[in-house]
Amino acid sequence: MQPHDRRKIGFWTCTALVVGNTIGMGIFVLPASLAPFGYNALLGWGITVLGCLALARVFARLARLLPGADGPYGYVRHTLGDLPAYAVLWSYWVSNWITLAALATGVAGYAAAIFPSLAWVQPAVLCLGVLWLFVGINLLGVRSGGRVQVVTTVMKLVPMLAVAALGAWTLLESPASFGAHPPAKPISLGDAMAASTLALFAMLGIESATIPAAKVDDPGRTIPRATMTGTGITAGIYLVVSAVPLLLLPHAELAQSSAPFALVMERFAGEGTGRWIALFVVVSGLGALNGWTLLSGEMMRTMADNGTMPAVFARTNRFGAPTGALVLTALLASAMVLMNYSESAVAGFTFLSTVVTAANLPLYLGCSLALGVLWWRGQREAGRDLLVAAAIGTAYTVFAFIGMGAQPFWLALALMVAGLPLYFFLRRHHGKAVSNA
């Protein structure tokens, strides 16, 4: 058994990263977004959960087969080459700092609504303060950010358990309530597919344990366990808490709600309970903001270590935190926050936020293909399930791309292309450095 490195993170912190990053703020409004789809929403959730469990299996097997690789960048680079690895990680990194801006904006908005005393603070200032607070926490090292992640993950499960308990109590006390508002929309494959791709946004983050692989204790064992455990916990919670408001509330009313969980708690658990749910939404957003900040810095450090980002971003402080990487990511996220509060750019910010899912999909596709390549190269003794996991992960990612439509796909492709000049510039620079050595 390997000695434990106190500067590295273990199983529980990795599991908290998966659960905490996946359960952000999207799930708290998703039931309203899915309400127009009727029961297709539940079918879509089923498709999404199965697809994400397959993707979690992909990441788990890659972590076990390539324990020395520095996360997804290493998985794709080892199998598909330098350029594909750079392209998928660049796209993923861009989506990360857009996510940070969206989370900071959401947290500030909810916090101002719950605590009226914050109304005197300019919204943009509050957003930036929250964002840079978590940059400061993560500058104290991955274990510092990991401790915050464990605490906030436990706290954010409270409203989920409350909604699940409400559903169970209502089912026992008044089972007829679950069939009181049948949706008018019939079951159809097209609507189920659209609902599935919408639900996928709430499941982004299942790969979180693999990103800081270099900072994980015994990664070949810890990452697979944390990835499958975290994804299973999140999927189970999501299925239950999404079904409760969908089955208990009139769909037209649910579709108009900006806080569906608070609405269902107020309606069935008593007045005042919704305010507590809103408080935990803030905690959930803070936890996700912390986790994505940690991953954004580690991801950029990995790329810099491999020569596909300037070397300055690989430098760490005395706590082992990638200072330059964290600061640059936060500066870019800050620019997006300020853009959000510019009246002329709100529409652009909203559109970019919808592309976050599409920008994540190249990473999922690349890692699924990487697992298939490992099987083809001779890992067949690992079992046929290796090929099955790779095939299902690839098929689900393609399915998600089709379900999102052409516009997000092309914009995600444009994001990858936008990073290519930096890639070729750095390759040329490193080539000259080697020839002059």
Side-chain angles (χ1 to χ4, degrees):
M1 184 176 179
Q2 297 178 346
H4 177 66
D5 187 340
R6 294 185 61 84
R7 296 189 65 178
K8 293 189 174 184
I9 55 177
F11 170 76
W12 290 111
T13 301
C14 285
T15 302
L17 273 175
V18 175
V19 177
N21 282 10
T22 306
I23 303 178
M25 300 190 75
I27 185 59
F28 292 98
V29 296
L30 194 59
S33 302
L34 291 173
F37 294 100
Y39 290 146
N40 290 292
L42 295 179
L43 183 58
W45 259 120
I47 295 170
T48 298
V49 166
L50 290 176
C52 288
L53 286 172
L55 289 172
R57 182 70 172 164
V58 166
F59 286 110
R61 294 308 303 267
L62 286 170
R64 192 174 297 279
L65 292 170
L66 299 172
D70 200 355
Y73 183 92
Y75 305 153
V76 180
R77 185 187 188 196
H78 181 78
T79 52
L80 303 179
D82 288 336
L83 182 56
Y86 172 82
V88 299
L89 262 294
W90 168 273
S91 178
Y92 186 75
W93 174 68
V94 170
S95 78
N96 272 206
W97 50 261
I98 296 174
T99 299
L100 289 179
L103 284 169
T105 302
V107 166
Y110 264 94
I114 297 169
F115 305 107
S117 59
L118 293 175
W120 64 273
V121 182
Q122 284 288 335
V125 173
L126 187 57
C127 284
L128 294 176
V130 170
L131 176 64
W132 284 92
L133 169 65
F134 286 101
V135 171
I137 290 172
N138 282 278
L139 283 172
L140 296 176
V142 70
R143 283 183 66 82
S144 173
R147 291 189 192 100
V148 172
Q149 192 70 7
V150 172
V151 173
T152 54
T153 297
V154 171
M155 292 181 69
K156 74 171 58 181
L157 293 180
V158 172
M160 302 290 179
L161 295 176
V163 172
L166 173 66
W169 177 80
T170 306
L171 183 63
L172 292 174
E173 293 295 319
S174 179
S177 299
F178 279 92
H181 309 287
K185 200 165 189 72
I187 298 290
S188 71
L189 179 60
D191 285 329
M193 191 173 180
S196 173
T197 53
L198 190 60
L200 177 59
F201 179 78
M203 285 296 294
L204 298 180
I206 58 174
E207 70 287 346
S208 295
T210 68
I211 303 296
K215 302 292 180 66
V216 174
D217 194 34
D218 192 8
R221 182 169 180 268
T222 300
I223 292 176
R225 291 169 59 221
T227 298
M228 294 307 299
T229 301
T231 303
I233 290 172
T234 304
I237 291 172
Y238 273 8
L239 282 174
V240 173
V241 301
S242 296
V244 171
L246 189 67
L247 295 175
L248 288 179
L249 296 173
H251 287 213
E253 182 182 9
L254 178 60
Q256 297 300 315
S257 174
S258 60
F261 286 176
L263 176 62
V264 76
M265 291 298 291
E266 291 275 354
R267 184 71 51 83
F268 290 91
E271 188 176 350
T273 54
R275 182 181 176 88
W276 286 104
I277 292 292
L279 177 61
F280 281 105
V281 172
V282 172
V283 174
S284 182
L286 291 174
L289 186 59
N290 174 71
W292 286 111
T293 300
L294 187 156
L295 295 195
S296 297
E298 285 300 313
M299 194 183 328
M300 199 172 184
R301 178 200 57 76
T302 297
M303 295 174 75
D305 277 340
N306 286 276
T308 52
M309 279 284 185
V312 65
F313 298 118
R315 296 174 188 167
T316 57
N317 61 18
R318 64 190 181 93
F319 301 106
T323 306
L326 284 168
V327 169
L328 177 62
T329 302
L331 286 172
L332 291 167
S334 297
M336 292 300 297
V337 167
L338 295 174
M339 185 186 295
N340 185 42
Y341 286 101
S342 169
E343 291 183 4
S344 62
V346 169
F349 176 82
T350 302
F351 177 69
L352 282 175
S353 296
T354 66
V355 180
V356 167
T357 304
N360 276 257
L361 289 176
L363 179 71
Y364 295 165
L365 179 61
C367 287
S368 296
L369 293 174
L371 190 62
V373 169
L374 286 178
W375 180 85
W376 180 259
R377 286 181 179 174
Q379 292 289 347
R380 303 182 187 190
E381 68 276 5
R384 187 175 294 179
D385 67 311
L386 208 69
L387 180 60
V388 172
I392 295 176
T394 301
Y396 176 69
T397 307
V398 172
F399 167 86
F401 262 126
I402 294 171
M404 295 195 73
Q407 198 171 29
F409 170 79
W410 288 114
L411 190 50
L413 188 62
L415 285 176
M416 285 194 289
V417 173
L420 293 181
L422 177 62
Y423 172 80
F424 288 113
F425 171 79
L426 289 173
R427 277 184 65 93
R428 185 178 178 184
H429 175 75
H430 290 314
K432 285 183 178 180
V434 171
S435 63
N436 291 332

